[in-house]
Amino acid sequence: MGDHDVDLFVIGAGSGGVRAARVAAGYGARVMIAEEYRVGGTCVIRGCVPKKLLVYASRFSDEFEDAAGYGWSVGKVTFDWATLIANKDREIARLEAAYTTTLERHNVEIVKSRATIEDVHTVRLATGARIRAETILVATGARPHHGTPIAGEKYVISSNEAFHLKKMPRRILIQGGGYIAVEFASIFNGLGSEVTLVYRGEKILRGFDEDVREHLMRELGLRGIKVLTHKIVKCIEKVDRGLDVALSDNAQIIVDLTMFATGRRPNVEGLGLERAGVKISERNGIVVDAYSKTSIPNIYAVGDVTDRVNLTPVAIREGHAFADTVFGGKPTRVDHSNVPTAVFSEPEVGVVGLSEAQAVEKLDTVDIYKNSFRPMKATLSGRDTRVFMKLVVDGNTNKVVGCHIVGPDAAELVQVVAIAITMGATKADFDATMAVHPTAAEELVTMREKAISYGRAAAE
Ligand SMILES: Cc1cc2nc3c(=O)[nH]c(=O)nc-3n(C[C@H](O)[C@H](O)[C@H](O)COP(=O)(O)OP(=O)(O)OC[C@H]3O[C@@H](n4cnc5c(N)ncnc54)[C@H](O)[C@@H]3O)c2cc1C
């Protein structure tokens, strides 16, 4: 170990940092991890986990409504925000303790402090203490970013604060079109708030398949979410009746709360990265190679701070691969293709692989199979909703290269489809798979008619 205090110093105890620390320690490395807020990071403390708990809470209202068509009289239902938040907080505290215990069991030393890099082998804690480390891993994640400041910015909350509101807003305006904005729009809508979603582009969920974007926008509208596109919030003023929000088209909306979910920025500022010579990209992410090594040979970075694919399972995989590479003697790259992903809106979105547009750009020939249909449950409930499913197929190899689902349990479904796609399943394999009846998912193995053919097949 030479003159080093530890073999590995990890900055940030989130998804990527915790996994890397634990696995490196398992290989016998002496590991120290610094966390300035709470062990577990964004996902556990103010991301995926608390969000999914709110999503569950928000979905009961549909169940109560739909029950009538099936003969149930549910009676008057009430919802208590304070109970939900208190129960959620208890679960998050339990998880934080579990993460802490796991690290301690692996002999990882946890320091509850901000850490910065003083030089390529020295980390400085908030107390001023200096730790000499053979290897440094930066896993500091990202934070909400609101863009150009506006008048009345102080009335805007981000997803961080949304988890700790004292009261549920009766009327909320959410600005943003990404998955976090859409998910919170569905959460508040399901819990009974009046929701307005404001987005500067033409369609929400930029980067997703066009059909998915259109389908979800329609579904959100059917549920009473006001989706206003081609607009941004210009300024916000506090008035007697709440917050007076002026939009770029001069429309004015009165709400109780404004939330922006307009993007996230890697946490690179003030870390001492420039001083150490670590290269940062134009988009503010730490530049790394396929093994998560930065421009400095003993400094690595994983997770959202590298701005590759900003999802928890990816950060975990990158952290694990880093530890295998540096401490396990097993150089491991992470495959960032075919990462399945979900939007926990209502209805849910599940996606893996290429969108139609990406496939057309990348491949010579592309076949599209798609369908939209009324789910069986909606027949008796009378709910106005449709499921959407699409398979994108490489016309040359017959391999399924993309799957897009909007509907109940889309996230659960796409996780399983992702296995088939990762294995290189062809459309013929999907067709040869027996259906499970009656399910919505059987559509995935029974779609026979090409909706569109691009490339050679189209020219023939
Ligand atoms: C509202 C929301 C919902 C999300 N939902 C999902 C989802 O459903 N599925 C999914 O896969 N992903 C989801 N994500 C994304 C996911 O949370 C992140 O991709 C993931 O947490 C990234 O892990 P990480 O280790 O890179 O960083 P983080 O988990 O953010 O951890 C970084 C840690 O570093 C700490 N830190 C920062 N700087 C310092 C410093 N100088 N010293 C000490 N500590 C420091 C921070 O306090 C933080 O705890 C969601 C994110 C948000 C905000």
Side-chain angles (χ1 to χ4, degrees):
M1 205 178 354
D3 67 339
H4 299 121
D5 302 311
V6 292
D7 299 313
L8 172 64
F9 195 103
V10 181
I11 307 180
S15 306
V18 166
R19 174 59 67 92
R22 177 168 78 64
V23 177
Y27 285 127
R30 272 192 56 191
V31 184
M32 196 180 270
I33 190 166
E35 172 52 56
E36 68 175 347
Y37 182 53
R38 292 177 68 182
V39 173
T42 303
C43 178
V44 175
I45 308 295
R46 46 194 181 184
C48 340
V49 177
K51 173 199 75 191
K52 190 77 187 282
L53 295 174
L54 299 199
V55 167
Y56 283 127
S58 70
R59 288 183 176 168
F60 283 96
S61 51
D62 272 13
E63 293 296 319
F64 298 143
E65 268 177 42
D66 292 353
Y70 286 88
W72 290 91
S73 306
V74 177
K76 182 172 159 31
V77 292
T78 58
F79 166 71
D80 184 44
W81 173 262
T83 303
L84 170 64
I85 296 303
N87 289 345
K88 179 267 294 174
D89 286 345
R90 202 169 316 117
E91 173 57 10
I92 300 310
R94 186 189 71 77
L95 287 172
E96 183 182 6
Y99 271 75
T100 304
T101 308
T102 304
L103 287 171
E104 286 168 352
R105 268 210 210 110
H106 284 80
N107 295 321
V108 174
E109 190 176 339
I110 305 170
V111 278
K112 295 298 289 288
S113 165
R114 180 168 172 80
T116 53
I117 297 175
E118 195 159 277
D119 64 49
V120 295
H121 284 292
T122 311
V123 174
R124 192 183 157 100
L125 304 181
T127 55
R130 290 182 174 80
I131 315 292
R132 297 277 300 159
E134 173 91 56
T135 302
I136 297 171
L137 177 68
V138 183
T140 50
R143 65 182 184 287
H145 178 64
H146 289 176
T148 317
I150 54 161
E153 176 98 22
K154 64 179 173 199
Y155 303 117
V156 177
I157 64 157
S158 72
S159 56
N160 285 351
E161 293 77 39
F163 292 116
H164 299 286
L165 297 174
K166 292 269 174 295
K167 242 172 70 185
M168 197 186 82
R170 193 166 63 76
R171 303 157 299 181
I172 182 169
L173 181 147
I174 300 175
Q175 172 156 264
Y179 79 96
I180 295 175
V182 171
E183 289 176 339
F184 274 96
S186 287
I187 288 169
F188 285 112
N189 174 253
L191 294 177
S193 303
E194 250 175 53
V195 181
T196 307
L197 186 66
V198 175
Y199 179 54
R200 65 182 169 167
E202 189 192 346
K203 287 177 219 160
I204 55 171
L205 292 186
R206 187 160 60 93
F208 282 70
D209 187 90
E210 290 297 307
D211 281 329
V212 168
R213 300 173 76 185
E214 280 164 24
H215 191 91
L216 188 68
M217 228 156 90
R218 208 165 34 244
E219 288 283 332
L220 295 183
L222 286 174
R223 279 161 193 281
I225 297 176
K226 240 184 260 155
V227 184
L228 306 179
T229 54
H230 292 300
K231 291 176 204 6
I232 55 167
V233 171
K234 236 173 45 181
C235 60
I236 305 165
E237 201 184 326
K238 194 162 174 51
V239 293
D240 286 349
R241 292 172 299 144
L243 298 172
D244 184 347
V245 184
L247 302 182
S248 46
D249 62 352
N250 293 327
Q252 275 179 300
I253 302 178
I254 304 284
V255 292
D256 303 303
L257 189 68
T258 48
M259 170 177 166
F260 283 8
T262 43
R264 294 178 60 81
R265 279 180 89 121
N267 285 325
V268 292
E269 288 85 5
L271 274 182
L273 294 168
E274 299 84 353
R275 198 169 45 229
V278 174
K279 231 192 241 157
I280 295 170
S281 75
E282 272 171 22
R283 285 171 47 95
N284 238 25
I286 295 182
V287 178
V288 288
D289 69 9
Y291 299 97
S292 297
K293 191 197 287 185
T294 69
S295 49
I296 301 298
N298 72 309
I299 302 182
Y300 289 72
V302 295
D304 285 8
V305 77
T306 62
D307 197 26
R308 287 177 277 182
V309 179
N310 299 327
L311 293 169
T312 285
V314 179
I316 291 174
R317 209 32 103 75
E318 288 167 0
H320 203 125
F322 151 79
D324 283 346
T325 302
V326 178
F327 298 98
K330 290 181 281 186
T332 308
R333 294 161 168 259
V334 173
D335 182 0
H336 290 93
S337 62
N338 287 333
V339 174
T341 184
V343 182
F344 294 98
S345 45
E346 185 57 47
E348 213 164 88
V349 177
V351 171
V352 60
L354 303 179
S355 66
E356 181 172 331
Q358 287 166 335
V360 169
E361 201 181 307
K362 206 171 155 187
L363 305 170
D364 293 340
T365 66
V366 176
D367 296 327
I368 302 295
Y369 297 81
K370 60 180 178 179
N371 201 1
S372 150
F373 54 94
R374 193 169 193 212
M376 196 183 201
K377 190 175 173 191
T379 54
L380 298 201
S381 71
R383 180 171 292 283
D384 187 3
T385 183
R386 292 183 81 75
V387 172
F388 175 77
M389 291 194 184
K390 178 186 226 176
L391 291 177
V392 181
V393 178
D394 181 336
N396 280 342
T397 62
N398 196 237
K399 280 190 181 163
V400 178
V401 293
C403 174
H404 306 264
I405 305 170
V406 187
D409 300 319
E412 305 285 346
L413 291 179
V414 94
Q415 177 68 85
V416 181
V417 174
I419 301 172
I421 290 188
T422 302
M423 291 175 75
T426 60
K427 179 65 169 60
D429 293 323
F430 275 60
D431 294 347
T433 304
M434 195 66 81
V436 179
H437 185 72
T439 61
E442 66 185 303
E443 195 63 25
L444 293 170
V445 298
T446 54
M447 281 191 281
R448 293 287 185 272
E449 255 178 59
K450 286 178 203 168
I452 314 170
S453 280
Y454 294 95
R456 191 200 57 210
E460 273 169 2

